[in-house]
Amino acid sequence: DEGLVALSSAALRCTIDPLGAELASLGGADGREWLWNGDARWWGGRAPVLFPIVGMLAGGKYRWQGRSYALDKHGFARRRRFEVVAQDNASATLRLGADAATRKIYPFEFALELRFALGDALVIAALVRNAGEGPMPFSFGFHPALRWERGGAATAAWLTSMSAPSLSSCLTAAVVVASLVAIAAVPMSTPSTGMAASPYASAQRPV
């Protein structure tokens, strides 16, 4: 699609929308699409990037050094256009930096970079820099949604599970690196902690 960053490897292909540095499509060489389609009747996102907050603030506002600032749910990065600063056939780096508009709601000199790399898996690495002189509080998150394709089988019949150590490792690393292909394609069978399937992937819930 026009304006999207397209990447491919022998095993995978994906596109990235510079608006929000959001993954727009992800699939295998067989042409199957794994990412949620962004149907606004359910949820219009696909894989938004959450920065500089994850979730909502009480009253939609916070105070910093005696001043009050308003931030929408999940922050502003998902609605800002990133600059494509590097790209080849299988990787791309997108960057968002502080400007006059962000300083009005988040008074910090930040730089957020996302690097997408395709091989046998898709790896997304996030780097947040503080170019200011003082502390810079922030939160960061990935919010990908994957398709449910089980031929009409009842969702209650399916469970993705993983051992507690694996889950802990995954959550610790998710701020820096997210292996979406592993999440989508690798079965984990240790029934310690799991995610129940739902009518659409973005609504998975812990059990």
Side-chain angles (χ1 to χ4, degrees):
D1 293 350
E2 187 177 353
L4 298 182
V5 176
L7 306 178
S8 63
S9 67
L12 301 170
R13 46 94 191 149
C14 75
T15 57
I16 305 142
D17 191 341
L19 181 61
E22 183 172 10
L23 197 63
S25 67
L26 172 64
D30 60 2
R32 287 181 59 195
E33 177 59 42
W34 299 336
L35 203 63
W36 171 248
N37 64 7
D39 186 339
R41 293 175 300 171
W42 303 99
W43 182 57
R46 296 171 188 258
V49 170
L50 316 182
F51 176 86
I53 61 170
V54 176
M56 295 183 290
L57 299 173
K61 295 180 179 180
Y62 69 99
R63 293 188 64 81
W64 180 258
Q65 295 185 346
R67 290 189 58 186
S68 180
Y69 299 89
L71 269 180
D72 290 338
K73 180 180 179 180
H74 295 326
F76 53 76
R78 59 191 175 135
R79 296 189 175 95
R80 296 299 303 262
R81 186 163 296 278
F82 283 60
E83 179 187 4
V84 180
V85 295
Q87 182 182 358
D88 57 30
N89 289 340
S91 68
T93 301
L94 289 82
R95 179 184 299 152
L96 177 67
D99 60 20
T102 66
R103 293 182 189 107
K104 290 179 180 179
I105 55 176
Y106 184 67
F108 303 99
E109 298 302 309
F110 74 91
L112 170 60
E113 285 190 0
L114 292 172
R115 185 175 189 272
F116 298 77
L118 282 182
D120 293 331
L122 168 63
V123 174
I124 305 173
L127 176 64
V128 178
R129 291 189 177 95
N130 177 8
E133 296 181 355
M136 186 184 81
F138 73 91
S139 299
F140 179 87
F142 292 110
H143 197 326
L146 304 177
R147 287 175 180 261
W148 173 259
E149 293 186 1
R150 292 296 182 185
T155 57
W158 296 91
L159 179 73
T160 300
S161 61
M162 62 192 77
S163 66
S166 295
L167 179 61
S168 173
S169 243
C170 174
L171 293 177
T172 300
V175 173
V176 180
V177 177
S179 176
L180 299 183
V181 173
I183 294 170
V186 176
M188 301 179 188
S189 58
T190 305
S192 173
T193 304
M195 298 290 284
S198 67
Y200 56 104
S202 62
Q204 289 181 334
R205 59 193 185 279
V207 296

